[in-house]
Amino acid sequence: ASFSDIKGNSHENSIVSLVNQEIINCYPDGTFKPNQSLTRSDVVKLLGKYLVSLGHKVPTDYKTKMRFTDLTAKSQDELLQYAALVKDVGVFNGSNGALMHKDEIRRDQMATVLVRAFKVINEYDYIAHVKGQDYKPVITDLAKTTVEHQEAINVFSFYGVTKQATFSPKDVTKRGQFASFLY
């Protein structure tokens, strides 16, 4: 992978690895845009591709059985496929039945869906494991989000996925950040 805008970026190695695995792509102009915000649709597709690369299958009824109330059979086919997959395996739950696929995904939401994804992939409850440790949270801004998101962020901190004292849970997730978290 060679992009004109990632050389020296702190996420460069993660981006290159995920591109080589065909999980994430560049733009037609040869850029990656690591500072561009991610939508929930972007994350559904990225996690769906990742799950498929690990052997998970897109449900055959993805176009006839809508998993989210804001998607229809006329929605983008790739989104429908991966939305069905991530919903069926328990990675994305949506909000009141809606995927809200056009909305940007916040860092706290991203942490939660990634922890759910790795629970599915590894068949291991990371949140329960961290709760069972004598672990004192070191993230100083956890109170800015819900308990569910706090637990996922604590998993990130416990395993060294994030090493910062602040997580900025309500900030929008950028493409480069997501690449590093997934990597």
Side-chain angles (χ1 to χ4, degrees):
S2 177
F3 305 106
S4 60
D5 62 344
I6 65 167
K7 188 73 175 159
N9 185 287
S10 61
H11 306 291
E12 181 178 4
N13 290 338
S14 302
I15 293 166
V16 170
S17 176
L18 294 176
V19 167
N20 289 339
Q21 295 175 62
E22 299 179 1
I23 294 166
I24 199 164
N25 300 315
C26 69
Y27 287 92
D29 66 359
T31 61
F32 181 79
K33 300 180 184 173
N35 296 318
Q36 180 174 308
S37 299
L38 280 177
T39 64
R40 293 170 64 85
S41 173
D42 294 330
V43 175
V44 164
K45 292 174 190 176
L46 293 168
L47 287 177
K49 288 177 185 178
Y50 186 61
L51 289 167
V52 166
S53 78
L54 297 174
H56 291 266
K57 304 285 185 217
V58 171
T60 57
D61 64 351
Y62 76 90
K63 203 163 190 124
T64 58
K65 178 184 171 192
M66 294 301 111
R67 273 55 171 195
F68 297 99
T69 58
D70 54 346
L71 297 179
T72 70
K74 295 183 185 218
S75 297
Q76 183 194 38
D77 196 64
E78 182 182 41
L79 176 59
L80 287 175
Q81 290 179 41
Y82 295 130
L85 173 58
V86 299
K87 174 67 173 173
D88 286 3
V89 299
V91 173
F92 255 86
N93 296 330
S95 177
N96 296 319
L99 179 59
M100 302 179 307
H101 58 285
K102 294 178 183 177
D103 291 356
E104 294 175 327
I105 192 164
R106 298 186 324 250
R107 289 171 54 88
D108 57 351
Q109 295 166 334
M110 178 268 314
T112 298
V113 297
L114 281 176
V115 169
R116 286 182 194 149
F118 288 114
K119 179 180 181 180
V120 167
I121 291 164
N122 298 316
E123 298 176 4
Y124 187 76
D125 190 342
Y126 292 93
I127 291 174
H129 175 76
V130 171
K131 283 182 177 179
Q133 305 303 307
D134 187 22
Y135 175 71
K136 304 286 185 250
V138 295
I139 305 291
T140 59
D141 58 353
L142 284 176
K144 294 180 179 181
T145 191
T146 65
V147 171
E148 178 186 27
H149 295 318
Q150 289 175 21
E151 291 172 341
I153 294 166
N154 280 332
V155 168
F156 273 29
S157 180
F158 180 83
Y159 285 101
V161 175
T162 185
K163 296 176 173 85
Q164 305 297 322
T166 58
F167 190 77
S168 305
K170 298 298 181 184
D171 286 359
V172 174
T173 305
K174 307 295 184 190
R175 282 174 53 90
Q177 294 169 339
F178 183 81
S180 287
F181 286 130
L182 182 57
Y183 176 77

